[in-house]
Amino acid sequence: MPRLSKSRFIAGWQCPLRLWYTVHEPWRATPPDPQLQAIFDQGHRLGQLAQQRYPSGVLVEADYRHTRQALEQTQVLMADPGVPAIFEAALEHDQVLTRVDALVRNGDGWDLVEVKGATRAKEVFQLDVAIQYWILTGAGIPVRDAGLLLIDRDYVYPGGAHDPQEFFRFEPLTRTCEHWLEWIEAQAVSFQEVAARTTPPQIEIGQQCFSPYPCPFYNHCSADREWPEHPIEELPYLAGERYQGLLERGVTTIDAIPDDYPLTVAQKRIRDAVAKGHPWTDPDLGEAVQGVEWPLFFLDFETAQPALPRYPGTSPFQALPFQFSCHIQRAPGVAPEHTDFLATADTDPRRPLAEALLNALGDRGSIVVYSSFERRVLGELADALPDLAEPLAALQERLWDLLRVLRNHYYHPAFKGSYSIKRVLPVLVQDLDYTALEVADGQAAAQAWIQMLDTDCDEERDRLAQALREYCFTDTLAMVRLREALLRAAGEL
Ligand code: SF4
């Protein structure tokens, strides 16, 4: 039987075909994009911090290409009572191999510690620990405690070096692991059989392709598949019985959904628009779009949510607004002006951003946003800056959500079930898009900002600042143009 690693075991759990490709045709995987790579890099940094919880711990130097050496080095370190903890310990049972993040000596036994850059113990993380527990106990190692080292959401960074004792919390899972043991034993054999096959198992793409992780073989598996133009999966919030009910009737496309099938109001609108082949326009669209108070301030924030807090007083994954863009339209038909803010100094950006914001938005006129995100950011800014809480709360009173208007009054079949601005814009405003931009979404913006703060190269810093400004500028210009497009759709422009 071929040897399996813990990650291959988890790949098999997600989908046996994913396991097979990982073993036999790994080159078919799509390489990680910069965002995914940034998550891997962050995981590496957190792993290094976690190791500081166990002073005098020793790292097994042999890497994953040198399994035999790693197994031998681990045995030597385990036999040495002077070694209190082993990082990347290599252990094997029944041809299944793992590298344990931290194997910590506990009396005459060991604690098994798996580090995750997350705040809660998702099922896949529990399985991760359970596989390792099965390997260790199967290999005859007395495990006292097995669990996850997770980020403590309540940690508040006091400044200076991060304290790994405060930053992480240990979640014991030994009893949970016990429940998985029998299943893991059986699955190990089954996955080894899959890995030993010379031909891939026949598996259709489905919901398993995205859970618990986006499958890197998705582009390959879906390459030759012909999709209907409007599959039922396009309908928002169609799940459970309603989804199954359609499949049982053999309905796979939206236009084939019977008129009497129970759908929500929004789903019915989509079904009707697709069936008729033209947009649904509510008669009140024009009135809704005109329901603003002039002047108009089209506002968009960018935020970063670092796992490792960067500034004193902040917590893991706390959203830090670092940039805003604002297009200001003084009166109907008048060309918009533009202003923005980008934090370029490596200090807490919230106060300078809030002050620039209050300066830019004045004290009257609708603040046009796209979603409730800006409301939440303003609320968090007010909590963090009590002296500015009142004027920030006044800004919240002026928010006017273009997304809500769009959702309630218009749908175009080309939206394909989504009102995200990236989906809506090319349908309603064809001459403005994000394709030529270096930064093209919020996650990339957060990453570019951190990169800009970290770089020592002036040229790169300027380039990233420019890219961030262009991206946020495009977001607020998109809102100006979307509002105009909706007025046109309502026959009011
Ligand atoms: S894309 Fe889906 S079907 Fe293909 S290997 Fe991945 S999980 Fe399996």
Side-chain angles (χ1 to χ4, degrees):
M1 282 292 176
R3 179 185 264 156
L4 282 184
S5 63
K6 180 190 72 172
S7 57
R8 286 180 177 182
F9 194 113
I10 292 173
W13 182 59
Q14 176 166 3
C15 169
L17 182 55
R18 177 176 178 177
L19 165 61
W20 192 88
Y21 278 136
T22 306
V23 173
H24 296 277
E25 297 179 1
W27 64 88
R28 295 197 187 280
T30 304
D33 62 18
Q35 275 85 52
L36 189 56
Q37 192 56 51
I39 292 171
F40 293 156
D41 295 346
Q42 175 177 278
H44 183 67
R45 282 194 296 277
L46 291 173
Q48 287 178 326
L49 179 64
Q51 290 181 358
Q52 294 171 21
R53 264 175 84 104
Y54 312 102
S56 306
V58 180
L59 177 70
V60 174
E61 298 283 352
D63 66 16
Y64 72 98
R65 284 165 301 196
H66 300 92
T67 301
R68 190 175 50 78
Q69 291 92 324
L71 288 163
E72 286 168 7
Q73 285 173 17
T74 302
Q75 291 307 314
V76 170
L77 292 169
M78 288 179 78
D80 181 350
V83 174
I86 305 168
F87 307 131
E88 296 298 322
L91 293 151
E92 188 178 33
H93 170 59
D94 273 0
Q95 292 283 89
V96 185
L97 178 81
T98 187
R99 301 295 296 259
V100 182
D101 284 341
L103 190 62
V104 184
R105 205 177 284 278
N106 179 353
D108 58 353
W110 296 87
D111 288 345
L112 184 175
V113 180
E114 170 69 21
V115 182
K116 293 291 181 203
T119 55
R120 60 180 192 88
K122 290 195 286 190
E123 187 186 29
V124 65
F125 297 164
Q126 296 178 24
L127 173 62
D128 188 316
V129 178
I131 296 166
Q132 301 184 65
Y133 182 79
W134 173 76
I135 293 170
L136 267 65
T137 51
I141 296 165
V143 179
R144 299 284 166 253
D145 221 347
L148 286 164
L149 199 59
L150 297 168
I151 296 174
D152 187 344
R153 191 177 267 287
D154 296 332
Y155 169 76
V156 180
Y157 177 45
H162 286 285
D163 179 349
Q165 308 297 341
E166 298 291 324
F167 179 75
F168 292 106
R169 66 179 178 88
F170 182 72
E171 182 153 328
L173 290 168
T174 313
R175 290 185 63 175
T176 310
C177 292
E178 296 280 353
H179 291 303
W180 285 85
L181 284 183
E182 217 174 298
W183 181 86
I184 291 171
E185 181 91 27
Q187 289 306 117
V189 175
S190 150
F191 292 157
Q192 277 161 337
E193 284 168 2
V194 170
R197 289 174 61 142
T198 52
T199 55
Q202 294 302 305
I203 291 174
E204 287 295 312
I205 55 179
Q207 294 189 340
Q208 84 280 4
C209 305
F210 311 101
S211 175
Y213 302 112
C215 177
F217 299 103
Y218 187 77
N219 287 348
H220 171 67
C221 284
S222 60
D224 298 328
R225 177 141 172 178
E226 286 188 14
W227 298 97
E229 197 181 353
H230 297 290
I232 55 172
E233 286 78 10
E234 239 175 64
L235 281 185
Y237 306 111
L238 181 74
E241 279 176 24
R242 296 271 162 90
Y243 177 63
Q244 285 306 329
L246 287 173
L247 292 182
E248 279 158 21
R249 290 180 186 210
V251 177
T252 56
T253 59
I254 291 179
D255 56 351
I257 299 175
D259 283 348
D260 61 350
Y261 195 78
L263 296 175
T264 65
V265 172
Q267 289 168 345
K268 273 194 187 121
R269 277 177 200 151
I270 293 177
R271 194 255 327 264
D272 293 348
V274 168
K276 288 175 187 152
H278 61 76
W280 166 74
T281 308
D282 180 58
D284 294 337
L285 173 65
E287 194 184 333
V289 180
Q290 299 282 20
V292 289
E293 187 188 326
W294 294 87
L296 303 185
F297 299 84
F298 296 81
L299 175 70
D300 181 58
F301 288 125
E302 297 305 326
T303 61
Q305 293 177 270
L308 266 176
R310 199 170 175 107
Y311 305 113
T314 62
S315 294
F317 301 115
Q318 182 173 343
L320 275 185
F322 60 85
Q323 177 180 19
F324 73 78
S325 166
C326 182
H327 272 87
I328 305 166
Q329 206 171 7
R330 302 275 169 205
V334 173
E337 306 152 27
H338 180 254
T339 184
D340 69 2
F341 171 88
L342 173 66
T344 50
D346 193 3
T347 52
D348 191 336
R350 291 175 295 179
R351 180 168 293 280
L353 177 136
E355 288 171 354
L357 188 69
L358 289 165
N359 198 29
L361 297 181
D363 55 11
R364 64 180 188 87
S366 294
I367 301 170
V368 182
V369 293
Y370 200 82
S371 86
S372 56
F373 177 69
E374 275 66 28
R375 179 176 297 281
R376 205 181 73 221
V377 172
L378 285 171
E380 288 169 3
L381 275 174
D383 290 344
L385 306 167
D387 57 315
L388 298 180
E390 209 175 298
L392 288 168
L395 296 185
Q396 282 184 312
E397 297 295 313
R398 292 163 52 200
L399 293 177
W400 187 89
D401 189 352
L402 181 59
L403 171 61
R404 211 172 60 173
V405 169
L406 191 55
R407 258 191 220 290
N408 291 337
H409 300 279
Y410 188 83
Y411 181 77
H412 193 298
F415 290 175
K416 292 190 169 289
S418 166
Y419 279 98
S420 92
I421 202 158
K422 308 285 186 302
R423 182 65 65 82
V424 163
L425 195 66
V427 179
L428 293 178
V429 185
Q430 285 86 6
D431 61 338
L432 180 67
D433 64 35
Y434 293 80
T435 46
L437 299 178
E438 181 182 344
V439 171
D441 61 48
Q443 225 186 329
Q447 201 186 321
W449 181 63
I450 301 282
Q451 222 178 313
M452 182 190 78
L453 296 181
D454 286 344
T455 184
D456 293 328
C457 170
D458 290 347
E459 221 169 86
E460 194 189 1
R461 189 177 309 114
D462 292 348
R463 182 181 59 76
L464 289 165
Q466 179 65 16
L468 282 163
R469 288 203 142 103
E470 281 173 8
Y471 167 62
C472 211
F473 175 96
T474 307
D475 263 349
T476 49
L477 182 60
M479 282 193 272
V480 175
R481 303 287 305 281
L482 269 181
R483 186 174 172 278
E484 288 168 358
L486 289 177
L487 284 173
R488 260 194 303 278
E492 301 209 7
L493 201 66

